[in-house]
Each structure stands twice: as C-alpha cells, then as structure tokens.
Amino acid sequence: MSVAVATPQAAEPVFHVVDEHAHPEGASTMLGFWIYLMSDCLIFAILFATYGVLGGNYAAGPAPKDLFDLKLVALNTAMLLMSSITYGFAMLTMEKRQVGATQMWLAITGLFGLAFLGIELYEFHHMIHEGATPQRSAFLSSFFTLVGTHGLHVTFGIIWLVTLMTQVARSGLIEANRRRLMCLSMFWHFLDVVWIGVFTFVYLLGTLR
Amino acid sequence: MSINSAPVDAHGHDHGQEAHEAAHAHGTLKSYLIGFGLSVVLTAIPFWLVMGDVLGNKQATGLVIMAFAAVQIVVHMIYFLHMTTSAEQGWTMMALIFTIVMVVIALAGSLWVMHHLTTNMMPAHDMIRR
C-alpha cells in the first residue's frame, strides 16, 4: 500500500478519480438550456426594439387606442399567470414522484396555455377583420411580429407539454423525464417573463400614447 | 484501488448532485404562492392605473408601470425561475448578466439612434403620425 502511494504511477489514477469525478448524465443540461433561453431573450429584445422604433408610425391607420381591448389583455395575462403557478404545482408533485397529480397539473397548465392562445387568436382575428392587418402600417407589422412570435413560442410550449405528458404516461417520472420537465418549466416561466414586457410596453404604454 | 473507488465516488457524488439540484431547481409551495401573489398584485396595479386613468398624467403613469414591470420580472426570476447567484456555480447568473448587457445595448441603442434618425431625416413625420 505504502509502495503504491509512494510511486507516482500508482498515485496518479487516484488523483485522476478525485479531480475528474463522474458527471451524471445530463448534469449540464440545465445550464445549456438556460443559455438557449438567453439567446431567445435576445431575439425578443430585438423585436421589442423594432416595435419601439416602428410602433409610433400608424400611416394614418388605426392606433393602439383604437385597437386594443385592455380587458381582454388582462384576461389573457391572467391565463398565463395561472398557467405559471399550475406548472409550479406540477414540478412540486413531480418532486414527490406522484405521476397522476403531475399529469393532472400539466394538463391544467396546457388548458390555460390553450385559453391564452385562443384569446390571442380571437384578438388577432378581430383586428384583421377590422382591417388592422400586418400590412397596414409599420406599427401593425412590428406588433404582429412581436406578439405573434410570443404566441408561436406558447404554441410550441404546448406541443412540448403534450409530448412530455405522453412520455410520462409511457415511462413514468424517470430521471430523463424529470430533466425534460425541468427544461420545459424554465421555458414556460420564461415566456411569462416575456409577456410582462409585452403587456407593459405594447398594450399598456400603447394605450397611453 | 482506483477501480474500486471510482464507482463509489461517482455514486456518492450522484446523490449529492441530485439533492443539490432539487434544493435550488424546484422551489417550494410557499415560494410559488408568494411569487404568484406578488405577480398578481404587480400585474393588477398597472392595468388599474391605465384603465382607470388613476394618475391623470400619461408620463407619470408610463414611468410607474415600467417600474412595476421591472419589479415583476425580478419576482418571476426569483420565485419561478429560481435564479440564485450560486445556481450552476454562478454560470447562469453570468449568462444572465451578459444577456442583460446585450439587451440594454440593443434596446437603448436602437431607440436612441432611430429616434434621432426620424427627427433629423423625416421632417414630415408629424403628418404621418397621428
């Protein structure tokens, strides 16, 4: 034993093991996904900047005051906020390994997400019906690009949610599925953060203008 | 010796990592409810200020609702996204700070430059704007 420690060749593998400890599979997924979210954040920042630059050019068309229904936006915001807390409950039940409860909270989150999308599509439909199409003015082009991109993110979030519910139904709350659910959790809450910017800068400040 | 100790080390580390991740990645029922309560209040007040025209001053209302948005974003970051300075050895915070710097440059720069372009190069813009 003492010989093995004294010779450098025998001691080396021991140091190697201590320094390079084994990383569990997916240990860096969370950091990687966070960095993806930050890149998404930059996309939204550019779209916000575009809206900030173009949002005041109505080309003699309708202005935010004529178009936005703040009661509808408040309802929409409530839907997204509710989906955030229900996703939080899904994470808490996931931690306790309660498959049924997790699936139920995920389903409720998906329904709130669908309600949000439904209200948004109704709003878009209503605006386009009134002639406020993306082609009408620079304000409307940037509005539909920004809010539409957020809506697309929510759409993909719902597709992802349904996919994960299927995965959980098939193989339960295994390590890989828990990791996936944690990624979607970050994605979902991040979309809520972006929506804070949307309802403040687009809807509330637009109505004030 | 190394062959024997490696799996033990990895195993012990595995559990430590899992417990560590669970501690900061999920939050508790209490923290979710606090975050939800705060965000409801922080959303309701700006909507109330704008819809009810409470302050009667557009500029003041605008500044107040922007301040509320900033606070709410921080609340979401802490209570829903579980941002801490220690998560992932601080790398998530590094990425966040870098992104915020980039976002501020992109937003402030675009608005500033384009505002000057419009005011200096489009004298007829008052006719286009309503």
Side-chain angles (χ1 to χ4, degrees):
Chain A
M1 189 68 193
S2 63
V3 179
V5 174
T7 47
Q9 276 145 328
E12 203 179 338
V14 178
F15 281 131
H16 183 73
V17 166
V18 172
D19 288 348
E20 288 279 318
H21 48 241
H23 290 281
E25 196 201 330
S28 52
T29 305
M30 289 306 138
L31 178 58
F33 194 77
W34 179 257
I35 290 173
Y36 155 71
L37 283 185
M38 292 297 99
S39 77
D40 226 18
C41 186
L42 288 177
I43 292 179
F44 279 110
I46 299 306
L47 292 178
F48 272 111
T50 310
Y51 181 81
V53 169
L54 299 176
N57 301 315
Y58 311 129
K65 222 179 275 180
D66 313 321
L67 291 172
F68 296 157
D69 180 4
L70 282 188
K71 277 179 197 158
L72 205 63
V73 180
L75 182 67
N76 223 352
T77 307
M79 292 300 137
L80 211 57
L81 262 182
M82 289 302 290
S83 80
S84 250
I85 184 86
T86 56
Y87 202 106
F89 291 153
M91 295 301 282
L92 293 174
T93 47
M94 179 193 88
E95 241 181 307
K96 293 179 192 154
R97 306 288 191 273
Q98 298 167 338
V99 178
T102 308
Q103 292 280 53
M104 183 194 76
W105 285 118
L106 287 177
I108 293 172
T109 306
L111 288 178
F112 276 122
L114 278 178
F116 171 83
L117 268 186
I119 294 168
E120 186 158 90
L121 286 176
Y122 167 79
E123 186 200 20
F124 283 4
H125 173 80
H126 188 69
M127 284 172 71
I128 290 169
H129 188 71
E130 286 187 345
T133 59
Q135 301 96 307
R136 183 64 190 84
S137 65
F139 151 63
L140 284 167
S141 303
S142 53
F143 167 81
F144 277 103
T145 313
L146 172 58
V147 183
T149 305
H150 179 270
L152 264 185
H153 274 73
V154 176
T155 310
F156 285 114
I158 292 172
I159 294 172
W160 189 359
L161 187 92
V162 173
T163 312
L164 284 188
M165 284 178 70
T166 318
Q167 296 265 47
V168 171
R170 266 194 195 165
S171 42
L173 290 170
I174 55 170
E175 171 86 40
N177 278 347
R178 279 185 282 138
R179 192 175 68 232
R180 290 164 187 150
L181 282 169
M182 272 160 71
C183 283
L184 180 57
S185 163
M186 282 159 76
F187 185 80
W188 199 267
H189 292 308
F190 173 73
L191 284 181
D192 213 7
V193 172
V194 174
W195 184 253
I196 298 170
V198 173
F199 81 67
T200 305
F201 290 103
V202 176
Y203 289 102
L204 292 182
L205 286 181
T207 310
L208 278 178
R209 233 199 267 248
Chain B
M1 187 177 155
S2 65
I3 295 163
N4 279 340
S5 65
V8 173
D9 254 4
H11 197 66
H13 177 75
D14 224 327
H15 276 267
Q17 182 88 11
E18 206 173 300
H20 178 66
E21 267 182 16
H24 72 69
H26 296 298
T28 58
L29 178 65
K30 197 181 152 199
S31 76
Y32 275 115
L33 288 177
I34 292 173
F36 181 71
L38 281 175
S39 51
V40 166
V41 173
L42 290 168
T43 304
I45 293 175
F47 271 95
W48 171 64
L49 287 179
V50 173
M51 289 166 91
D53 195 18
V54 181
L55 299 180
N57 179 337
K58 284 186 180 188
Q59 208 155 20
T61 311
L63 286 174
V64 170
I65 64 173
M66 278 197 276
F68 270 99
V71 174
Q72 198 181 345
I73 286 173
V74 174
V75 165
H76 277 242
M77 284 284 181
I78 293 170
Y79 291 101
F80 291 150
L81 281 162
H82 315 298
M83 274 302 292
T84 55
T85 46
S86 57
E88 308 276 357
Q89 284 98 45
W91 286 111
T92 48
M93 190 56 89
M94 290 292 279
L96 178 67
I97 292 169
F98 173 71
T99 312
I100 290 171
V101 171
M102 297 303 285
V103 165
V104 168
I105 293 173
L107 274 174
S110 307
L111 293 176
W112 183 47
V113 169
M114 294 310 288
H115 174 75
H116 281 274
L117 268 181
T118 354
T119 40
N120 291 327
M121 298 181 73
M122 286 175 64
H125 79 283
D126 279 331
M127 291 163 67
I128 298 167
R129 291 163 79 113
R130 258 183 30 174

